[in-house]
Amino acid sequence: REDRGRSPQRDFHILFVPRRSLLCEQWLKEQGVLGSFIHREQYSLDLIPFDGDLLSMESESAFKECYLESDQTSLYHAAKGLMTLQALYGTIPQIFGKGECARHVANMMIRMKREFPGSQNSIFPVFDTLLLLDRNVDLLTPLATQLTYEGLIDEIYGIQNTYVKLPPEKFAPKKQGEGGKDLPTEPKKLQLNSAEELYAEIRDKNFNAVGSVLSKKAKIISAAFEERHHAKTVGEIKQFVSQLPHMQAARSSLANHTSIAELIKDITTSEDFFDNLTVEQEFMSGIDTDKVNNYLEDCIAQKHPLIKILRLVCLQSVCNSGLKQKVLDHYKREILQTYGYEHILTLNNLEKAGLLKPQTSGRNNYPTIRKTLRLWMDDVNEQNPNDISYVYSGYAPLSVRLAQLLARPGWRSIEEVLKMLPGPHFEERQQLPTGLQKKRQHGENRVTLVFFLGGVTYAEIAALRFLSQMEDGGTEYVIATTKLINGTSWIKSLMEKLEPAPF
């Protein structure tokens, strides 16, 4: 349209993120507009920093592409991103991995290194170890309801690129005598990251431990504001005034998080939430996973949201290494009759991804995996946790347990269980130029980069941060992923949307 106009010609630029694609250029050519773009550039945005210890590619369809469509483009970008990281922070001497995709990424990295011998840099390595983990090695964790503060915000409201949109009525400023006549209608948008002191403190705690922290903070802040009455001299007043902006920021942050905590509490104290959680925890601790679950049947009969049903059925299937054929058929029939036959494609996708499948060998390996890796802990201390299982009030994320055992005593101790989990496990060493081998000082922590291929949940991130902070842990973790997910967004990415017929 621009070309037909008589106005002075403009220059058009087109930027492909993360790289140019031939198909797209071909299509532009067919439309007859390729010539109008003077500049065709690509911007390789591989890993985006979300926080001090968190990087994400934000590639929403990575899991589906890798496991359903055998499309490994996102793995190529992951390898590219890792090469960029190594160019900036030095070669990572040790690579460990578990899963098919992890193997692919490691192979691509080794090949890229061979093909660009000039990429050997003389930077002292920041990372000691890279751990590549496939999401399908641990399908269980994202299906369970996260019980950390940040995890619950994500489960209930969905955190998009560190921002969350919340219902506005809780955040309306209360003025005397007005009554609530003009409530805000725009959702309240908040940024959530560790730049905010209070959030950094409570984000990774179990939700049951958040209330006490908030009330302690409230006492400290009101005491700080009381100080103003005791400021007598000019110097004291000046000091009080200089602290005021920080105190006011702390007060508004406390008000926001108290409101969010109230919103979440309304949901977590509901009967529905409790029933759902009880069933999840029964499955994860191995109770009655091999028969049709009554609660699940009732939920289908009452037409609860489909995603909730799918999460529970998949959870049961994973905790039983697949369902007996007649149990699986029963669930499928109930779901299709209640929610519509178009969902047969979604069920098929879940089966292909290994989430909802018939039990093939007739043996259930999950109890062995659960026992060996200590995935279920009965005595959980939610207030002062001593184990990563606090993030799910009893269940320790399998993926994080693998990272923990890799650091100490090493994967040799769990060879048998590793063989039960899908995909190969491997170790690669990358040669460092002479003079760059690290001599470890006494008491200096190792740094491990854990890369989740196919998505990671906030609860897993919280568990890894917990391991980083352990006194005797000896390892600090930095987390990278293809996408930040929760059970709902993950199942949604595997659902088929049927377009109505155009005629």
Side-chain angles (χ1 to χ4, degrees):
R1 200 167 74 202
E2 185 71 25
D3 285 347
R4 283 201 298 271
R6 296 203 190 92
S7 58
Q9 290 296 309
R10 301 180 200 184
D11 289 353
F12 283 97
H13 304 255
I14 191 164
L15 264 167
F16 291 93
V17 184
R19 62 172 178 166
R20 284 165 74 158
S21 81
L22 276 171
L23 283 173
C24 191
E25 293 194 345
Q26 185 61 38
W27 190 82
L28 291 169
K29 199 171 171 182
E30 286 166 15
Q31 301 300 312
V33 292
L34 191 64
S36 313
F37 293 104
I38 301 171
H39 296 281
R40 294 196 289 279
E41 317 278 331
Q42 62 180 13
Y43 180 60
S44 52
L45 183 68
D46 292 314
L47 287 163
I48 308 155
F50 271 32
D51 217 316
D53 57 354
L54 179 62
L55 300 152
S56 172
M57 289 166 53
E58 284 308 285
S59 153
E60 295 191 11
S61 47
F63 182 84
K64 187 177 185 180
E65 285 167 10
C66 293
Y67 297 104
L68 294 185
E69 296 161 0
S70 305
D71 171 359
Q72 286 157 1
T73 316
S74 57
L75 299 183
Y76 167 78
H77 290 304
K80 285 277 286 192
L82 284 163
M83 293 310 281
T84 310
L85 270 185
Q86 290 190 104
L88 295 168
Y89 300 108
T91 304
I92 305 175
Q94 280 184 306
I95 301 176
F96 290 90
K98 173 75 180 135
E100 293 289 346
C101 296
R103 185 66 271 185
H104 277 299
V105 172
N107 290 349
M108 280 192 265
M109 285 170 68
I110 292 161
R111 207 172 76 216
M112 286 172 186
K113 204 172 160 101
R114 247 201 339 263
E115 287 168 4
F116 305 107
S119 67
Q120 272 292 3
N121 50 14
S122 50
I123 297 175
F124 217 74
V126 172
F127 298 108
D128 300 276
T129 313
L130 165 65
L131 169 58
L132 294 162
L133 278 179
D134 275 30
R135 182 71 276 170
N136 80 334
V137 170
D138 171 15
L139 293 169
L140 170 56
T141 303
L143 294 169
T145 304
Q146 310 171 63
L147 296 175
T148 56
Y149 180 57
E150 187 167 36
L152 276 165
I153 296 177
D154 189 38
E155 291 279 354
I156 299 167
Y157 297 108
I159 299 173
Q160 283 294 329
N161 309 326
T162 72
Y163 278 94
V164 66
K165 286 183 174 164
L166 298 156
E169 51 278 4
K170 271 275 191 226
F171 298 89
K174 291 189 176 66
K175 290 192 182 132
Q176 267 90 29
E178 276 189 26
K181 60 170 184 269
D182 44 345
L183 281 174
T185 48
E186 283 294 299
K188 171 93 173 168
K189 192 174 179 186
L190 288 176
Q191 187 174 20
L192 302 174
N193 62 24
S194 57
E196 189 183 344
E197 259 172 66
L198 177 61
Y199 187 63
E201 190 181 328
I202 60 176
R203 67 192 298 178
D204 301 321
K205 291 190 181 305
N206 183 297
F207 185 64
N208 288 336
V210 169
S212 57
V213 178
L214 291 177
S215 64
K216 257 192 219 122
K217 274 278 183 286
K219 286 189 186 113
I220 294 168
I221 289 171
S222 62
F225 272 100
E226 281 305 305
E227 284 291 297
R228 69 176 187 272
H229 300 308
H230 305 302
K232 298 281 190 288
T233 65
V234 173
E236 285 173 347
I237 292 169
K238 187 177 173 193
Q239 195 190 350
F240 177 80
V241 171
S242 70
Q243 290 171 341
L244 209 56
H246 179 78
M247 284 158 58
Q248 279 166 331
R251 185 156 70 175
S252 83
S253 158
L254 178 71
N256 281 341
H257 289 294
T258 310
S259 300
I260 297 175
E262 282 172 3
L263 284 167
I264 292 175
K265 199 168 186 308
D266 291 346
I267 288 171
T268 55
T269 48
S270 68
E271 204 173 314
D272 199 35
F273 185 86
F274 179 75
D275 292 344
N276 190 59
L277 196 62
T278 309
V279 171
E280 279 185 17
Q281 300 209 330
E282 281 174 1
F283 287 158
M284 292 190 288
S285 54
I287 301 170
D288 290 344
T289 52
D290 56 347
K291 49 182 199 248
V292 172
N293 182 284
N294 295 340
Y295 173 72
L296 246 165
E297 281 194 305
D298 292 348
C299 287
I300 295 174
Q302 293 163 15
K303 215 166 176 182
H304 282 220
L306 176 62
I307 290 189
K308 170 185 169 175
I309 307 289
L310 294 176
R311 272 177 80 163
L312 279 172
V313 176
C314 291
L315 188 73
Q316 183 177 354
S317 166
V318 175
C319 291
N320 199 54
S321 308
L323 295 167
K324 289 193 186 118
Q325 194 63 53
K326 71 170 203 284
V327 175
L328 182 64
D329 290 344
H330 176 80
Y331 279 144
K332 281 184 173 173
R333 192 169 60 245
E334 292 291 308
I335 289 170
L336 294 178
Q337 287 177 353
T338 306
Y339 296 94
Y341 281 89
E342 66 272 23
H343 295 294
I344 198 157
L345 297 171
T346 296
L347 293 176
N348 188 35
N349 283 355
L350 294 174
E351 193 164 326
K352 252 174 146 175
L355 280 161
L356 184 63
K357 56 178 207 254
Q359 205 173 39
T360 40
S361 61
R363 260 201 77 227
N364 176 7
N365 285 332
Y366 177 70
T368 317
I369 297 170
R370 189 181 68 235
K371 257 200 229 49
T372 317
L373 297 179
R374 306 198 330 281
L375 296 186
W376 185 259
M377 310 292 270
D378 282 323
D379 42 349
V380 177
N381 184 342
E382 294 172 338
Q383 305 293 333
N384 298 310
N386 53 4
D387 182 77
I388 56 171
S389 55
Y390 82 92
V391 297
Y392 286 99
S393 295
Y395 163 72
L398 190 152
S399 53
V400 184
R401 203 51 114 203
L402 289 178
Q404 188 182 9
L405 289 166
L406 176 66
R408 262 217 305 262
W411 274 359
R412 286 209 179 86
S413 59
I414 50 163
E415 284 280 341
E416 288 309 301
V417 166
L418 282 174
K419 285 184 191 139
M420 292 177 184
L421 298 169
H425 58 284
F426 59 89
E427 175 182 357
E428 296 283 351
R429 289 190 174 280
Q430 299 203 78
Q431 276 316 110
L432 289 175
T434 39
L436 289 184
Q437 277 85 357
K438 243 189 198 172
K439 303 250 182 310
R440 193 162 310 293
Q441 306 298 319
H442 180 65
E444 189 187 352
N445 281 349
R446 301 174 64 80
V447 183
T448 298
L449 174 65
V450 187
F451 201 125
F452 289 87
L453 299 159
V456 67
T457 62
Y458 284 106
E460 286 168 296
I461 295 169
L464 282 165
R465 285 181 181 147
F466 175 77
L467 292 180
S468 294
Q469 287 158 2
M470 268 166 70
E471 294 292 304
D472 55 347
T475 308
E476 279 182 46
Y477 292 94
V478 175
I479 302 127
T481 180
T482 48
K483 177 87 178 99
L484 293 163
I485 59 169
N486 58 41
T488 303
S489 65
W490 188 43
I491 295 276
K492 222 179 227 161
S493 75
L494 295 170
M495 290 174 80
E496 286 295 333
K497 289 173 199 60
L498 282 184
E499 300 299 324
F503 37 82

